[in-house]
Amino acid sequence: MASKTPLPPPAGPASRPSDDSGDSVVAERKTQKTKPPQMYQVVMLNDDYTPMEFVVVVIQEFFNKDRETATQIMLKIHLDGKAICGVYSRDVAGTKVQQVQEAARQAGHPLQCVSEPVE
């Protein structure tokens, strides 16, 4: 198998202008600042039918809280009518809401959960 030797690259301009005639333009690089994504809080709402223990288990399972923290959040829901269970990006918050509502539906409880933008 015969191979050809590569040709040398073409030579650049022999001479460069020695003075700047003012015709050149220099583009400045601007760094783009990206904003962090909008965060959403997952809020669980109180109802008179869902057992408190079920709410604690749901908070532990879907929001990765320990039993004491989950109990404190459940009591806040019970006393204030609602409480924030966690703050996430939009997609994650939507998934958490769906998971909680599906678990409540399967258990036969009317527990409601919503996500709303953090202000």
Side-chain angles (χ1 to χ4, degrees):
M1 175 160 85
S3 63
K4 293 174 73 176
T5 57
L7 297 174
S15 64
R16 294 186 179 184
S18 60
D19 60 14
D20 185 12
S21 61
D23 294 338
S24 62
V25 176
V26 176
E28 291 184 26
R29 180 178 293 195
K30 292 184 180 179
T31 57
Q32 293 182 345
K33 294 181 182 179
T34 58
K35 291 190 278 184
Q38 172 73 44
M39 299 303 281
Y40 287 76
Q41 56 193 11
V42 178
V43 179
M44 202 170 294
L45 306 175
N46 187 40
D47 64 69
D48 295 332
Y49 304 102
T50 305
M52 292 180 178
E53 185 59 33
F54 179 78
V55 175
V56 170
V57 170
V58 165
I59 293 170
Q60 285 180 290
E61 185 175 337
F62 297 114
F63 299 99
N64 299 321
K65 305 292 185 186
D66 58 62
R67 185 153 185 83
E68 183 179 335
T69 305
T71 303
Q72 290 173 354
I73 293 172
M74 178 275 299
L75 288 172
K76 183 163 177 57
I77 294 167
H78 181 69
L79 297 173
D80 297 345
K82 65 180 181 177
I84 298 169
C85 297
V87 178
Y88 307 95
S89 65
R90 180 178 171 188
D91 294 338
V92 174
T95 301
K96 298 278 185 189
V97 168
Q98 288 177 347
Q99 289 173 330
V100 168
Q101 290 180 341
E102 179 64 21
R105 186 187 64 79
Q106 287 181 352
H109 300 302
L111 181 64
Q112 290 295 307
C113 189
V114 296
S115 67
E116 52 190 40
V118 175
E119 296 175 359

